[in-house]
Amino acid sequence: MQLIMKLAFKLVRLNHYLIAALTLALVAISSALAYVIEPETFGTWFNALWWVMTTVATVGYGDYFPKTVPGKVLAMFLYVFGIGLLSLLIGKIIDGVASFHRRRESGTLKVQESNHIIVINWSKKAQLAIEELLSSEPGIHIVIIDNAEKHPYDRPNVQFVSGDPTSIEVLAMANIHAARSAIIFADPRIDDASLIDGKSLLIVSSIEQAAPAVHTTVEIVIEKHILNFRHVQVNDFILSHDAVSRLAVRSALKEGSVDLFTQLLSKQYGEDVFDIKPDPAWQTYGDGFAALLRQGATLIADRTDMSINRKLDTRIPADARLFVISNEDTIQKIRSERRS
């Protein structure tokens, strides 16, 4: 009994792969032995395998059973060791699944995805941004980095990494090198506005050091700090509360215009803004404008230039990045026609 207990203790400490290999070896060898010992009883090796599996799984249908002394000794061996080893393997699998979920919830699981979007500093604004991302691209993978101890928004395709986002190690956990972009929100737990921007600046500096190719968007609380962020090559800036203030003014001066901006800001409502590649057949902005209009889309800009409707005779440059207002179905139809 003491020997069996020592053996069991050593088996419990083995890793999952070794236990799985031992279980498969035990089943395969026992099946071969059963067939060699009693070929008349089992008829084929597969029937012997069936008997071994039903035995170690404690099912015991009784359609096959050993009749000789060696065969019964093998059965007793399987009762003691086979059932125990299979139970241990199942326990290890269940424990592994539970451990995975615990690590996922606590944010200690390394991100294996690529082309994902990283959202840094959890807040209500971060949640709304994630919901908008999932609405825009349902299959997109999102990673949240925050100092929280528990997953703040446990949803499919949303992973959590717990830790200091200014740390290179934490960014590596989030697989920053393979990320598509990173959005840094102002930390709502800091009271001093200057300190909020200071933390955001440290985060961006760490990202630029670890993965300079990743597109970064930063929420800035104090407008005069924008100059500091330009030195670390941030791609886009968003002034905190700036959009709300401007929308309020538009609503006061031009009644009903807020609904138009809401449609453009969110894919969940009405029309949306899409980028589209110029057709080689288009020579000027006017050619593109007319062609897209016939297909149900309105050309509004080339990158940040929204004045192209006043220079329709201008040739489209080779590096043009055109933006249109349309809906998802129309854009998909235009793109599919291009491919065909």
Side-chain angles (χ1 to χ4, degrees):
M1 182 61 68
Q2 187 176 7
L3 182 62
I4 293 175
M5 290 181 65
K6 286 183 178 180
L7 180 60
F9 180 73
K10 288 184 177 180
L11 285 174
V12 170
R13 298 179 64 183
L14 294 176
N15 64 52
H16 300 19
Y17 298 108
L18 188 53
I19 290 176
L22 287 173
T23 303
L24 290 174
L26 178 68
V27 169
I29 294 171
S30 299
S31 302
L33 283 175
Y35 179 62
V36 170
I37 293 172
E38 297 191 26
E40 299 83 5
T41 301
F42 298 105
T44 65
W45 176 84
F46 182 78
N47 290 336
L49 173 64
W50 168 258
W51 170 73
V52 170
M53 289 300 298
T54 56
T55 300
V56 298
T58 68
V59 177
Y61 285 112
D63 48 353
Y64 295 101
F65 54 89
K67 300 174 183 177
T68 64
V69 172
K72 292 177 180 179
V73 170
L74 176 62
M76 289 187 290
F77 174 81
L78 290 175
Y79 295 154
V80 176
F81 293 99
I83 294 174
L85 193 59
L86 183 62
S87 300
L88 182 61
L89 176 62
I90 294 172
K92 287 283 187 180
I93 293 173
I94 294 173
D95 182 63
V97 173
S99 176
F100 174 84
H101 284 289
R102 284 195 301 270
R103 292 182 62 192
R104 174 182 169 80
E105 186 175 352
S106 63
T108 58
L109 199 65
K110 182 175 173 57
V111 175
Q112 302 296 334
E113 300 291 334
S114 60
N115 200 36
H116 54 291
I117 292 181
I118 298 176
V119 175
I120 299 176
N121 290 330
W122 181 250
S123 64
K124 183 63 178 177
K125 284 181 284 188
Q127 179 179 337
L128 292 173
I130 291 173
E131 291 172 354
E132 182 67 26
L133 285 168
L134 293 174
S135 173
S136 301
E137 296 185 28
I140 196 170
H141 192 85
I142 300 169
V143 177
I144 301 170
I145 302 180
D146 192 75
N147 283 316
E149 297 179 356
K150 185 179 179 181
H151 201 314
Y153 192 72
D154 197 355
R155 299 290 189 279
N157 293 344
V158 181
Q159 192 171 335
F160 169 55
V161 173
S162 178
D164 181 3
T166 64
S167 168
I168 298 295
E169 290 75 17
V170 173
L171 292 174
M173 281 279 292
N175 201 13
I176 186 69
H177 303 88
R180 173 175 169 184
S181 61
I183 305 174
I184 300 95
F185 286 99
D187 193 334
R189 291 158 294 198
I190 301 176
D191 296 326
D192 191 318
S194 296
L195 294 178
I196 293 175
D197 284 345
K199 179 179 179 181
S200 298
L201 184 60
L202 287 173
I203 294 171
V204 174
S205 299
S206 298
I207 293 175
E208 289 300 320
Q209 179 184 347
V214 173
H215 184 281
T216 51
T217 304
V218 185
E219 178 189 6
I220 301 174
V221 178
I222 302 176
E223 186 173 2
K224 67 179 182 179
H225 290 163
I226 290 179
L227 186 60
N228 297 328
F229 284 86
R230 290 194 187 279
H231 291 309
V232 289
Q233 299 179 348
V234 172
N235 298 98
D236 289 306
F237 309 93
I238 298 174
L239 282 172
S240 186
H241 311 302
D242 181 65
V244 175
S245 301
R246 295 182 187 278
L247 284 175
V249 171
R250 292 292 181 275
S251 176
L253 297 178
K254 300 174 182 178
E255 184 179 346
S257 63
V258 172
D259 290 337
L260 299 177
F261 291 106
T262 301
Q263 289 187 46
L264 298 179
L265 287 171
S266 175
K267 194 174 182 179
Q268 301 179 50
Y269 309 101
E271 302 294 279
D272 200 359
V273 177
F274 299 89
D275 65 319
I276 190 166
K277 294 181 179 179
D279 192 309
W282 302 343
Q283 298 297 318
T284 64
Y285 288 122
D287 295 338
F289 187 91
L292 289 168
L293 196 61
R294 287 193 295 269
Q295 294 175 295
T298 305
L299 180 62
I300 60 169
D302 180 359
R303 297 186 184 274
T304 59
D305 183 5
M306 296 187 67
S307 64
I308 61 173
N309 61 337
R310 294 190 296 274
K311 46 185 179 183
L312 297 179
D313 293 331
T314 304
R315 293 183 65 86
I316 299 176
D319 62 343
R321 186 182 181 192
L322 304 181
F323 289 91
V324 300
I325 295 177
S326 185
N327 58 30
E328 183 71 34
D329 293 338
T330 300
I331 284 297
Q332 293 301 332
K333 182 180 177 180
I334 292 174
R335 288 172 177 169
S336 63
E337 289 176 356
R338 293 274 189 87
R339 288 192 292 268
S340 61

